[in-house]
Amino acid sequence: MHPASVARSTGLWALNHGVPRVVFHLQARKGEPLARIQTDPVLREHPEAMWQQVRERGDLVRGGYAWVTASLDVGSRVLRGDEFGVPLPEPSSPTARRLDRFRDPWAAGPVDPPSLLAIDPPDHTRLRRLVSRAFTARRVAGMEADIEATTHKLLDQLAGERRTDLIESFAAQLPVTVIADLLGVPAEERAPLLGWGDGAARLLDTGLGLRQFRRAERAIREMHQWVNDHVERLRRQPGDDLLSAVIQQADDLPADERPTRHELRALALLVLGAGFETTVNLIGNAVQLLSDHPDQRDALVAAPDGWGNAVEEVLRYDSPVQLTARMVRRPVEVAGRSLRPGHAVVVMIGAMHRDPAVFEDPHRFDVTRQNAADHLAFSAGPHFCLGAGLARVEARVGLAALYERYPSLSVEGHGVRRPTRVLRGFESLPVRLG
Ligand code: HEM
């Protein structure tokens, strides 16, 4: 790397990861539950006791470095409230300008502007509309037959096997194939996607070590280059895929509304990465839970109509996205607390899903739970997941076909959890197929 790039990257790491890393460790030593989950992989694997500590302190509590909530009601209020923005300083503030000096548009990650996850209205509304107009419920419904065909093709490849790593051979392959089809990615260019996606997923976390950060930055830089070429190719030769539709719509806009190349690239990169880095976790988490609860697995195999609700219960019980955050933009009172501009609120999605005020016997996994879908696994408000409908279809179709073929599929030994903090899923999951 050029010395100037090394200095830039180190500066960005120090602000986004180095300083928070020190703060997390200091707070963890003082016993702050969220910081302990962030810094201790064992607690991260079994966070229930820490969640309980947060809940016992109140609906909205002052943590060491931010307000924290494990209440579904308060979390929903924060995510939907227009007094809150993305967890970054106001773009016009001196801190934001200082951060901008270190940012490289060819290495911008999923939580760096202009990613949808890192911008507020009106830019967020303008860019999000481009995807939401083209990514309709009708388009998703029209994809179901193809998703089923992809699922069967992947399962056919397992024929004759007795054991497999379910993540490698199925849970990761299904979403990446579906999103690559949706975004018009040629078959021969798909191989590096999973590696790049893993880098992007790391960049959702705060407090990475310098080496981890550099590795993730390298992956995201390669992804930017490839996405840029892909966008240009679809601009010249549009297909009937979603990304071609987004590009055409964007190019037809009046100049003052048209996204810049950087904005369009960031949009494509986010949809691509979010399209497979989360759904893999949903499928993997479901397989682990059903292996732990074979009676519920058998009931689903006997009555496959239940798969839709089972997917909701997995999203609730073992959420693929565990955390998000917002920053207060205007003074606001929530849960009896006065929040001021600049205060951050961490919304503990995974913990909120065990809120006894909403879910009866919340630590029980029950695929027939009546209100399982009352979760916020896809967030809420302006940043509500654009791919929620697609993820639901993929998981329902994928799991139903998997268990139809292997009704007694079970985990053999122990899966290995991903090291990520925001995303929760498995890196590998050894299973006996039946
Ligand atoms: C189980 C699978 C998935 C889960 C749990 C999930 C979860 C989420 C969550 C929690 C957010 C919002 C974060 C926040 O409020 O700060 C989000 C945003 C987003 N998701 Fe998903 N997602 C999933 C699948 C997908 C898929 C399949 C796609 C694309 C096809 C996708 C595309 C996006 C995009 C583009 C955003 C940004 C929306 C915005 O900021 O306006 N997601 N997702």
Side-chain angles (χ1 to χ4, degrees), residues 116-117 124 128 179 274-275 278 282 324 326 377-379 383 385 387 391:
L116 287 183
L117 290 172
H124 176 262
R128 182 176 163 110
I179 197 74
T278 43
L282 173 55
T324 187
R326 292 293 183 266
F378 295 114
S379 189
H383 294 274
C385 175

Side-chain angles (χ1 to χ4, degrees), residues 162-200:
R162 296 173 61 136
R163 298 182 163 79
T164 188
D165 174 358
L166 190 97
I167 302 299
E168 193 184 338
S169 59
F170 184 71
Q173 299 300 331
L174 177 62
V176 81
T177 310
V178 170
I179 197 74
D181 285 345
L182 180 69
L183 300 184
V185 182
E188 64 279 10
E189 293 183 21
R190 296 179 182 186
L193 291 182
L194 283 172
W196 291 338
D198 193 52

Side-chain angles (χ1 to χ4, degrees), residues 364-397:
R364 185 165 49 89
F365 175 70
D366 176 4
V367 296
T368 64
R369 183 183 290 277
Q370 294 262 312
N371 68 341
D374 288 350
H375 60 74
L376 292 177
F378 295 114
S379 189
H383 294 274
F384 179 77
C385 175
L386 273 166
L390 178 61
R392 286 182 156 122
V393 175
E394 281 182 57
R396 174 172 53 75
V397 169

